[in-house]
């Protein structure tokens, strides 16, 4: 394992620890007296510090140390958790994340905020804590049985508690080293708890020529005098317990008897009396370990495997090809028109199901809960609230909802932007809220859910709602709307998505970066999703993002449009209608509506809208697909025929060409030909645009990272 | 690649020559992935005339352009000898329909001349330089320019 990959692993673990930290801090806010949570937060900071020490990231180490020292005071109940302290912890967490990121990208962290936070943290520390000399010297391990004596400088905390003596027998397995753990760091952590004596047991060392550098032969016997309870010792070994043989016993007058004596090396101090580990004890240890392991399964995190994303993607692509290949084989066999062969049909069906199972399994590998993404937003809310002088809190719902990893990654920017907007434009200042009889603290609500084959992500605020008069005024001012245009409320709301639209009457340092909601819309559209707005005056605004579950496959109807085979997502179709002439009515010279359960629904000719047919066919021909669009509600799409329903592999058109209006992607059919996948929403919009909606080519804007 | 300010090294460049719109063009061999027979493509709605459609190339969707139409030389007539040159640049793969492919040309850098001054800017952009072969002139296609003119809003 190269140093670099260990370093990568460290940063990956940091990500997880930071997530745990943010999560712990928000739980702490709910219940500051829950010691388990406080311990979890402390552990997260502590683990980051430990890892950073191994990579000599001094700045990170010293910040984490100060942070954890304050946290420790909360743990030992010397400090009460107050609102300002909680706020400081949040900011410290953000700063820690920044330091980790800086260390990873090898750039300079934000020294200004670091200094400010350190100063505040120091304010919570007594003199005794600060005097604690603190250094992380790299110690080289000699291959000798020298007892490493690590005594700690006077730690003023907990001196009154009775000292207890623990004996620890620790034998790492090769996996412990392979995972990048380092016994020395564990011993350092132990040494922080009290007086530690460590003795290495070299009896496992083989002859030199039989030495396996990847093996693990060393074991240690440690003796620790500390006032801490045994659980704290277990916490130190928490991450390695499954990777070593570990036995911790409190020494209460047990007669220690020697274990295999270490080889007598000259010039060494005699080892401390080791503990007796006789066979029966070992057997019971094993039983205990097993029991531990079982308990661990019940409560600990489930074992995971880190896999290079490229491998998964290769697999996904191959599986996609497999699905296409399966469709081809089915089609070829059908073309052979063999005499009825039931077993062949059965086997083909089984093949199809297997291929689908594999595909679903592979897709599930990429699916991840949105939780980390949502948690990141709490920082955005805090920072945005601070920058605008407002009070805001974040509430998340459904953060266990799983979404494709790529979707999560590509959602981060638009979501950040929208959350910032919600605080900046959505929420009112506390005094205004109070005057309106609302709670002084505004709430930003993030929710995720699966509904009808799509992922719904909502960003809501309980602010003043959209100021429609102001939006319209602004749009007219910017020449986006004709002054005499009559717009419905939802049309006004949708003006926000026009390029170059910004409504903040005072440009705060958050907005005014020249990035509008149009960029958000484009980013979401690039994921095959849509954004919509719902707002009610005085009660707030909610943006809803609807996304496909995965970016790689979908269930579609294979249809004919102007003699071309195309695919339309089943998820978007409410029902299919064979129109009868009596239900069809002409409106004006071009429009046709159909009566569906007492409501008139506009009929849209797909071929005509795509420019593939020069004239509209009789509306009564073909099949109508009833879809619900955001721009014009229920609409019936007219196509020539529906052939088949099948799962198709989505292939991007944009990777080699550009986006085509009305077409979301392409797929490859069983005969190797390409079929276009239609986006009903866009197909409907291809009708002659309304006068107030000038043709604007979307500018090539990128979302800025603030 | 063809860089105007490279040293006076006499490296040999290899080009594939082909004809499109009754003119002869060539592409640097390193940019060409393969040469295929013409097979019917899937048309795209609302695209300019020089975009013939998309084709399946081993699981990837690649657009096929009519090179002659792209250079404003008229639509390539149907012909037994029509081929599609699959070329790639900057991670984008496209297919170019041409009338026929002729030969491999190996020339020193110094024999590639600047494009003569012409009124048409579009034509100049599409051509990196010219090579004279015997008594005819071969135009070096600037693949990046072909890719760039795709239009459409890349989100």
């Amino acid at each position: 394992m190269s140093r670099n990959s260990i370093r990568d692993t460290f940063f990956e673990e940091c990500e997880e620890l930071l997530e745990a930290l943010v999560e712990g801090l928000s739980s702490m806010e709910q219940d500051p007296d829950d010691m388990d949570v406080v311990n979890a937060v402390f552990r997260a900071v502590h683990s980051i510090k430990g890892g950073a020490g191994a990579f000599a990231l001094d700045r990170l180490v010293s910040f984490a140390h100060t942070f954890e020292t304050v946290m420790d005071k909360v743990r030992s109940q010397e400090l009460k958790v107050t609102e300002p302290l909680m706020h400081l912890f949040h900011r410290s967490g953000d700063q820690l994340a920044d330091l980790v990121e800086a260390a990873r990208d090898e750039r300079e962290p934000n020294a200004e905020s670091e200094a400010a936070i350190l100063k505040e943290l120091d304010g919570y520390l007594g003199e005794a804590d600060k005097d604690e000399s603190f250094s992380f010297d790299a110690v080289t391990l000699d291959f000798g049985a020298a007892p490493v004596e690590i005594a700690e400088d006077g730690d003023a905390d907990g001196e009154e508690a009775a000292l207890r003596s623990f004996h620890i027998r620790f034998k790492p397995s090769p996996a412990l080293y392979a995972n990048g753990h380092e016994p020395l760091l564990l011993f350092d952590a132990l040494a922080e708890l009290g007086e530690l004596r460590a003795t290495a047991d070299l009896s496992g060392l083989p002859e030199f020529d039989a030495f396996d550098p990847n093996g693990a032969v060393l074991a240690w016997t440690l003796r620790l005098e500390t006032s801490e309870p045994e659980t704290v010792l277990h916490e130190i070994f928490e991450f390695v317990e499954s990777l070593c043989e570990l036995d911790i016993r409190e020494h209460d007058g047990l007669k220690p008897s020697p274990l295999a004596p270490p080889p007598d090396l000259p010039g060494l101090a005699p080892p401390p009396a080791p503990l007796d580990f006789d066979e029966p004890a070992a057997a019971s240890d094993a039983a205990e370990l097993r029991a531990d392991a079982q308990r661990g399964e019940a409560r600990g995190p489930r074992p995971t495997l880190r896999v290079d994303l490229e491998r998964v993607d290769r697999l996904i692509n191959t599986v996609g090809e497999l699905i296409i290949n399966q469709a081809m084989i089915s089609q070829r066999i059908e073309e052979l028109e063999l005499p009825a062969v039931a077993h062949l049909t059965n086997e083909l069906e089984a093949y199809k199901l297997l291929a689908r199972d594999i595909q679903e399994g592979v897709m599930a590998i990429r699916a991840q809960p949105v939780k980390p993404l949502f948690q990141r937003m709490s920082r955005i809310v805090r920072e945005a609230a601070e920058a605008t002088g407002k009070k805001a809190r974040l509430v998340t719902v459904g953060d266990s909802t799983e979404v494709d990893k790529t979707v999560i990654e590509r959602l981060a920017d638009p979501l950040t932007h929208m959350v910032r907007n919600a605080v900046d434009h959505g929420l009112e200042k506390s005094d205004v809220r109070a005057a309106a009889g609302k709670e002084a603290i505004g709430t930003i609500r993030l929710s995720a859910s699966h509904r009808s084959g799509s992922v719904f992500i909502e960003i809501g605020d309980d602010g003043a709602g959209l100021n429609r008069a102001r939006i319209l005024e602004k749009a007219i001012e910017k020449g986006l709307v004709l002054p005499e245009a009559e717009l419905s409320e939802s049309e006004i709301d949708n003006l926000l998505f026009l390029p170059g639209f910004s409504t903040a009457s005072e440009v705060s340092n958050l907005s005014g970066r020249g990035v509008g909601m149009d960029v958000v819309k484009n980013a979401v559209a690039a994921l095959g999703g849509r954004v919509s707005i719902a707002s009610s005056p005085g009660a707030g605004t909610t943006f809803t993002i609807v996304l496909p579950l995965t970016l790689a496959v979908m269930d579609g109807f294979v249809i004919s449009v102007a003699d071309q085979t195309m695919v339309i997502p089943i998820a978007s179709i409410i029902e299919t209608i064979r129109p009868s002439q009596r239900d069809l009515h002409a409106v004006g010279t071009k429009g046709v509506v159909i009566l569906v359960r007492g409501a008139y629904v506009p009929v849209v000719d797909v071929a005509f809208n795509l420019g593939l047919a020069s004239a509209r066919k009789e509306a009564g021909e073909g099949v109508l697909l009833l879809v619900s669009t955001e721009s014009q509600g229920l609409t019936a799409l007219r196509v020539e025929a529906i052939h088949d329903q099948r799962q198709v592999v989505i292939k991007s058109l944009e990777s080699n060409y550009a986006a085509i209006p009305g077409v979301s992607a392409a797929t490859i059919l069983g005969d190797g030909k390409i079929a276009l996948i239609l986006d009903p929403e866009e197909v409907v919009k291809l009708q002659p645009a309304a006068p107030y909606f000038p043709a604007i080519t979307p500018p090539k804007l990128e979302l800025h990272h603030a | 690649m063809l860089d105007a300010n490279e040293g006076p090294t006499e490296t040999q460049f290899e080009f594939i020559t082909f004809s499109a719109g009754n003119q002869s063009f060539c592409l640097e061999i390193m940019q060409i992935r393969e040469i295929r027979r013409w097979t019917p493509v899937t048309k795209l709605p609302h695209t300019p005339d020089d975009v013939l459609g998309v084709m399946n190339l081993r699981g990837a969707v690649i657009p096929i352009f009519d090179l002659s139409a792209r250079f404003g030389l008229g639509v390539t007539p149907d012909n037994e000898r029509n081929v599609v040159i699959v070329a790639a640049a900057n991670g984008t793969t496209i297919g170019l329909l041409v009338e026929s492919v002729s030969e491999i040309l190996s020339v020193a850098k110094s024999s590639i001349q600047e494009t003569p001054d012409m009124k048409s800017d579009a034509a100049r952009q599409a051509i990196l330089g010219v090579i004279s072969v015997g008594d005819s002139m071969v135009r070096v296609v600037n693949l990046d320019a072909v890719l760039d003119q795709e239009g459409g809003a890349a989100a």
Side-chain angles (χ1 to χ4, degrees):
Chain A
M1 203 167 190
S2 71
R3 183 166 177 85
N4 249 350
S5 61
I6 295 177
R7 192 166 184 266
D8 290 347
T9 306
F10 162 66
F11 284 118
E12 276 170 26
E13 277 174 7
C14 272
E15 288 284 309
E16 285 165 25
L17 290 165
L18 287 167
E19 274 166 30
L21 173 68
V22 172
E23 196 181 342
L25 286 174
S26 29
S27 316
M28 250 174 95
E29 238 171 340
Q30 313 300 329
D31 182 8
D33 299 328
D34 187 343
M35 273 303 135
D36 286 349
V37 173
V38 177
N39 280 330
V41 170
F42 177 83
R43 252 202 319 275
V45 181
H46 186 79
S47 305
I48 291 175
K49 173 176 120 176
F55 291 97
L57 302 166
D58 298 341
R59 217 164 152 170
L60 183 54
V61 169
S62 72
F63 183 88
H65 180 73
T66 312
F67 187 2
E68 90 175 348
T69 314
V70 179
M71 198 46 87
D72 198 30
K73 285 179 107 63
V74 174
R75 215 162 58 133
S76 57
Q77 314 214 321
E78 283 177 62
L79 261 181
K80 239 358 269 99
V81 179
T82 57
E83 196 180 329
L85 179 62
M86 205 60 237
H87 187 68
L88 175 62
F89 280 156
H90 274 307
R91 282 172 42 222
S92 305
D94 295 347
Q95 184 62 41
L96 196 64
D98 184 52
L99 283 164
V100 168
E101 209 175 293
R104 187 188 58 207
D105 306 343
E106 291 171 349
R107 61 168 172 82
E108 275 300 299
N110 180 343
E112 208 176 311
S113 63
E114 184 188 12
I117 292 171
L118 274 175
K119 196 165 154 233
E120 278 186 65
L121 285 170
D122 277 340
Y124 284 97
L125 295 178
E127 285 308 306
D129 310 294
K130 279 190 238 173
D131 289 345
E132 188 181 320
S133 81
F134 164 72
S135 66
F136 240 117
D137 290 336
V139 181
T140 45
L141 264 187
D142 282 335
F143 257 19
V148 187
E149 283 213 37
I150 310 170
E152 229 201 339
D153 298 41
D155 189 348
D157 298 345
E159 284 281 290
E160 310 79 41
L163 275 181
R164 299 148 80 185
S165 169
F166 289 99
H167 278 273
I168 304 160
R169 160 109 181 144
F170 168 65
K171 184 174 189 319
S173 72
L176 180 133
Y177 298 109
N179 286 357
H181 294 289
E182 165 61 81
L184 181 62
L185 294 174
L186 299 168
F187 300 168
D188 276 347
L190 286 172
E192 286 189 14
L193 304 175
E195 185 150 342
L196 179 79
R197 294 171 70 83
T199 314
D201 168 10
L202 308 180
S203 57
L205 267 180
E207 288 298 308
F208 186 77
D209 52 4
F211 179 68
D212 171 16
N214 288 325
V217 293
L218 294 182
W220 283 268
T221 309
L222 304 121
R223 186 168 180 167
L224 177 67
E225 305 257 328
T226 177
S227 51
E228 298 284 350
E230 191 173 333
T231 50
V232 178
L233 273 64
H234 276 287
E235 273 171 25
I236 285 174
F237 287 102
E238 183 180 29
F239 298 111
V240 298
E241 264 190 73
S242 57
L243 307 171
C244 65
E245 291 169 30
L246 180 69
D247 183 84
I248 300 180
R249 294 184 198 188
E250 190 165 349
H251 186 56
D252 44 6
L254 268 178
K255 192 106 185 83
S257 60
L259 120 146
D264 216 359
L265 297 174
L268 289 176
L275 247 191
D276 181 12
F277 286 93
D278 50 3
E279 275 316 302
S284 71
D285 284 350
E288 222 170 280
L289 270 177
R290 263 199 304 279
D292 264 350
Q294 278 161 0
R295 272 202 304 276
E297 262 177 7
R299 57 186 161 76
R302 289 158 65 182
T304 54
L305 178 70
R306 285 184 201 281
V307 182
D308 190 352
L309 200 58
E310 243 173 60
R311 290 186 192 179
V312 178
D313 286 348
R314 256 209 314 275
L315 191 59
I316 285 182
N317 278 332
T318 318
V319 170
E321 299 297 306
L322 176 74
I323 299 271
I324 291 170
N325 175 263
Q326 177 267 320
M328 280 188 186
I329 290 177
S330 299
Q331 204 162 324
R332 293 279 180 274
I333 287 177
E334 239 166 77
E335 284 164 9
L336 291 177
E337 292 180 352
L338 296 169
V341 269
H343 56 266
L344 183 61
T345 328
N346 288 346
E347 273 146 27
L348 265 183
E349 196 54 33
Y351 175 30
K352 184 175 170 178
L353 290 175
L354 278 174
R356 257 194 179 226
D357 276 357
I358 294 176
Q359 190 172 35
E360 276 169 21
V362 173
M363 288 295 150
I365 296 177
R366 286 186 54 100
Q368 295 186 324
V370 292
K371 190 172 180 171
L373 176 67
F374 277 14
Q375 281 186 348
R376 248 187 291 169
M377 294 303 137
S378 64
R379 174 178 183 174
I380 307 294
V381 169
R382 269 201 304 283
E383 287 175 350
E386 224 150 277
T388 52
K390 294 172 179 173
K391 286 206 162 92
R393 78 161 82 82
L394 178 73
V395 177
T396 60
V397 182
D399 49 15
S400 60
T401 308
E402 292 201 340
V403 186
D404 184 277
K405 183 179 163 68
T406 310
V407 176
I408 291 188
E409 283 167 0
R410 288 165 60 184
L411 258 185
D413 282 346
L415 203 59
T416 303
H417 189 74
M418 288 164 91
V419 166
R420 226 184 246 129
N421 260 355
V423 177
D424 193 14
H425 304 244
L427 296 179
E428 321 89 323
K429 291 214 159 63
S430 306
D431 51 345
V432 180
R433 292 180 64 90
K438 292 189 196 174
E439 204 188 342
I441 301 177
T443 304
I444 304 292
R445 187 172 167 280
L446 265 183
S447 85
S449 59
H450 284 300
R451 260 182 277 164
S452 60
S454 301
V455 182
F456 282 68
I457 292 181
E458 290 178 355
I459 301 100
D461 63 64
D462 63 346
L466 294 177
N467 182 342
R468 295 196 171 106
R470 173 102 190 90
I471 292 172
L472 191 54
E473 187 187 323
K474 191 104 188 182
I476 291 169
E477 201 178 300
K478 292 191 180 256
L480 298 170
V481 180
L482 296 173
E484 61 271 16
E486 290 280 331
L487 300 190
S488 70
E489 285 189 347
S490 74
E491 280 173 333
I492 295 177
D493 292 349
N494 280 307
L495 291 173
L496 285 182
F497 292 121
L498 290 183
F501 196 95
S502 169
T503 57
S505 34
E506 41 187 298
V507 173
S508 64
N509 54 1
L510 285 178
S511 55
R513 289 189 319 276
V515 180
M517 287 301 292
D518 59 311
V519 180
V520 169
K521 189 177 174 139
N522 290 344
V524 172
L527 288 171
R530 288 192 265 283
V531 194
S532 60
I533 313 178
S535 177
S536 57
T541 309
T542 299
F543 287 88
T544 306
I545 300 177
V546 185
L547 292 164
L549 269 184
T550 98
L551 301 175
V553 285
M554 61 158 224
D555 281 300
F557 278 143
V558 179
I559 55 174
S560 296
V561 174
D563 300 326
Q564 279 200 36
T565 307
M566 295 193 179
V567 175
I568 193 158
I570 283 184
S572 61
I573 295 170
I574 300 165
E575 61 180 298
T576 57
I577 305 166
R578 280 236 170 258
S580 72
Q581 281 298 349
R582 334 178 276 222
D583 294 335
L584 292 162
H585 305 276
V587 176
T589 53
K590 292 209 180 92
V592 175
V593 293
I594 181 167
L595 190 64
V596 181
R597 287 184 296 277
Y600 290 106
V601 174
V603 175
V604 169
D605 187 301
V606 177
F608 184 82
N609 275 23
L610 291 177
L612 297 171
S614 47
R616 281 164 202 262
K617 291 220 172 66
E618 277 299 310
E621 291 174 26
V623 186
L624 297 181
L625 306 171
L626 197 63
V627 295
S628 168
T629 64
E630 274 155 34
S631 50
Q632 61 172 57
L634 275 185
T635 305
L637 296 176
R638 207 193 70 75
V639 300
E640 277 160 40
I642 300 175
H643 300 294
D644 179 12
Q645 171 188 337
R646 70 168 72 146
Q647 192 168 47
V648 297
V649 178
I650 298 175
K651 300 276 177 182
S652 157
L653 277 170
E654 287 168 54
S655 53
N656 287 316
Y657 190 58
I660 308 264
V663 176
S664 62
T667 186
I668 296 168
L669 298 172
D671 57 3
K673 285 242 171 55
I674 291 178
L676 302 177
I677 299 173
L678 297 176
D679 179 351
E681 185 77 30
E682 295 298 320
V683 169
V684 169
K685 278 195 197 150
L686 287 173
Q687 286 177 298
Y692 70 87
F693 207 95
I696 301 168
T697 42
K700 286 193 185 180
L701 275 178
E702 284 180 23
L703 286 166
H704 292 277
H705 298 269
Chain B
M1 277 297 299
L2 302 168
D3 224 32
N5 44 21
E6 239 177 62
T9 46
E10 284 298 277
T11 30
Q12 293 284 306
F13 283 93
E14 291 202 314
F15 295 93
I16 300 254
T17 63
F18 49 86
S19 75
N22 294 325
Q23 295 186 4
S24 59
F25 291 91
C26 65
L27 253 180
E28 209 196 336
I29 208 162
M30 295 307 292
Q31 296 179 316
I32 296 180
R33 294 286 165 272
E34 60 186 275
I35 295 173
R36 308 169 56 104
R37 287 218 145 283
W38 165 255
T39 46
V41 295
T42 302
K43 290 194 179 71
L44 296 173
H46 298 295
T47 47
D49 288 345
D50 56 296
V51 181
L52 296 166
V54 283
M55 188 171 82
N56 169 19
L57 181 79
R58 286 184 301 281
V61 177
I62 64 165
I64 311 294
F65 299 99
D66 182 336
L67 195 70
S68 165
R70 195 154 191 87
F71 288 161
L73 304 169
V75 176
T76 303
D78 267 343
N79 182 323
E80 279 290 290
R81 298 183 58 199
N82 284 2
V83 290
V84 173
I85 297 177
V86 179
N90 315 329
T92 310
T93 309
I94 59 170
L96 302 169
L97 174 73
V98 300
E99 276 164 30
S100 63
V101 169
S102 356
E103 57 176 342
I104 294 182
L105 190 64
S106 183
V107 294
K109 190 176 170 70
S110 55
S111 57
I112 303 170
Q113 304 166 29
E114 287 225 348
T115 316
D117 241 336
M118 287 183 294
K119 282 211 177 74
S120 158
D121 230 19
R124 281 207 58 188
Q125 271 182 355
I127 295 185
L128 283 172
V130 296
I131 305 167
S132 72
V133 181
D135 52 4
S136 70
M137 181 182 85
V138 182
R139 301 147 192 82
V140 183
V141 174
N142 178 1
L143 192 60
D144 288 345
V146 176
L147 290 167
D148 274 351
Q149 298 171 13
E150 279 171 23

